Amino acid sequence: MSEFINHYTPSADLLKDKCIMITGAGDGIGKTVAKTFAAHGATVILLGRTSAKLEAVYDEIEAAGNPQAAIFPLDLATASMEQFEQLAEAIENMFGRLDGLVHNASLLGQRTPLSNYHYTTWQQVIQVNVNATFGLTKALLPLLEQSAAGSIVFSSSSVGRKGRAFWGAYSVSKFATEGMMQVLADELDGVSKIRANSVNPGATRTNMRASAYPAEDPKTVATPESIMPTYLYLMGDASRDVNGKQFNAQQ
Ligand code: NDP
């Protein structure tokens, strides 16, 4: 059963003093999540593979007068466990803890039958969407434990809840993401202040959506801004006791 947050109005300072990492923060939904969280008082840690994009988001946050962001350029397709641990160490030195982690970066891969799917593309998609998500989670859990109420948000998809033809490794990776969320949430239940939940953004106006649906008029698709209430809810204290749940950001 998926949940939908209706009529959630976050306070302006909802995320004041919170320190939150967003992966894939340079573009699309991740960029909007980063700017929105900063606008609600969070210090955001921008992780992504294209430095120029991360710097542009950093500048926008600064220009808006919101808390100064931090930038960590990292390509999740090649990142090693050692690099994830170095990242955790750097965050510990800078902030001493982590209050939130949004696993947002993903690769779409090919839209083709499994019988045609390239093995190398399969490996890249699983690497970024699943293996890197695990490595980053493992490295950052001790810092999330230092938070009064840590929140991990996993990005899912409708094809991660029901398989669909031609969605290949992407669909399978999102099933794995849901599985990772559920295993982790069950492990955390009753023994940790950290919570883990998943969000299916629904059709959202980004580059990924445009490459999956090239014939679609982007104006007919929801903006990233319009789906922010669910992300804010999952980072704010209203969801403190919500763990192991699947959310839809659109009805
Ligand atoms: P985009 O492709 O628009 O943005 C993805 C971001 O992730 C980009 O900033 C990209 O970096 C980054 N990224 C990709 N690969 C890597 C990598 N190897 N290392 C580091 N960063 C990387 O996607 P969306 O914003 O549309 O999607 C965000 C999330 O929402 C994803 O998990 C997606 O699966 C999910 N989703 C989206 C839907 C939609 O309709 N948009 C629907 C359902 C789920 P760069 O900018 O450098 O390319």
Side-chain angles (χ1 to χ4, degrees), residues 23-31 47-51 53-54 74-78 103-108 124 128-129 154-159 170 173-174 199-211 213 221-222 224 227 231 250:
T23 72
D27 214 333
I29 295 169
K31 174 182 177 173
L47 187 145
R49 64 181 171 184
T50 310
S51 292
K53 289 186 177 183
L54 299 178
L74 188 65
D75 186 347
L76 297 172
T78 53
H103 287 299
N104 166 81
S106 273
L107 284 184
L108 178 63
Q124 283 161 3
V128 172
N129 299 9
F154 290 86
S155 296
S156 186
S157 164
S158 55
V159 298
Y170 178 83
S173 78
K174 295 298 182 182
V199 176
N200 165 23
T204 310
R205 198 184 304 169
T206 66
N207 292 338
M208 182 186 285
R209 177 73 192 183
S211 46
Y213 294 90
V221 180
I227 62 168
Y231 289 84
Q250 298 181 50

